Amino acid sequence: MALPKIGNLAPAFTLNNQNGEKVSLKDFRGKQNVVLYFYPKASTPGCTVQACGMRDALAELAQYDTVVLGVSPDKEPALQKFIAKQGLTFDLLSDPDHQIAEKYGVWGLKQFAGKEYMGLIRTTFIIDKEGRLRDIPEKFTTKNHDQVILTWVREHFGSE
């Protein structure tokens, strides 16, 4: 699977959030930038660290007209529990059949404990108000993800 090309329109999607409400990329067009991050599984250690970092960065991201959407293969009840337990204040989107992950090129072969399997590859996409893909940050960990995203947003959306 190939990642979408920076500068092109980001692949369109409509997914249910944790409450079963439909959320589409087009909902943000002309209004807000979107940090769309794909994570493997709610309530796991790395995904929790990453989500809490994004939660803590939301107020500053909002200063740059930027929202956060997390996407995983988890079903809505698991997303609701994750949000409640961690006090998350942004939408988590359910992609159980990984159609959107495949569209974004982030469903692929992974390795863990010597076994290979298909799964979601942790990836973040920064999309501008026009719906164009502006960046796919590569160098981050779950611990510094929020700072990498904040730095990029400050540098690129701060001057707009």
Side-chain angles (χ1 to χ4, degrees), residues 29-125:
R29 179 99 25 106
K31 299 176 202 158
Q32 293 170 299
N33 305 302
V34 176
V35 173
L36 182 70
Y37 83 96
F38 289 83
Y39 63 97
K41 187 166 177 51
S43 299
T44 56
C47 295
T48 298
V49 166
Q50 185 178 21
C52 290
M54 294 310 293
R55 173 200 65 206
D56 296 345
L58 278 179
E60 187 170 349
L61 288 169
Q63 294 174 17
Y64 301 99
D65 294 329
T66 302
V67 299
V68 173
L69 299 172
V71 181
S72 75
D74 297 299
K75 294 199 164 105
E76 295 157 27
L79 299 179
Q80 288 173 338
K81 285 181 190 168
F82 191 31
I83 284 175
K85 187 171 183 186
Q86 301 305 328
L88 303 180
T89 52
F90 57 91
D91 277 334
L92 297 179
L93 307 179
S94 177
D95 187 21
D97 55 5
H98 45 83
Q99 281 188 328
I100 304 309
E102 288 182 36
K103 237 177 166 178
Y104 275 81
V106 298
W107 187 262
L109 195 61
K110 296 176 71 168
Q111 288 187 342
F112 183 74
K115 296 185 186 208
E116 289 188 341
Y117 61 97
M118 293 299 286
L120 197 141
I121 299 161
R122 190 183 307 275
T123 312
T124 299
F125 299 89

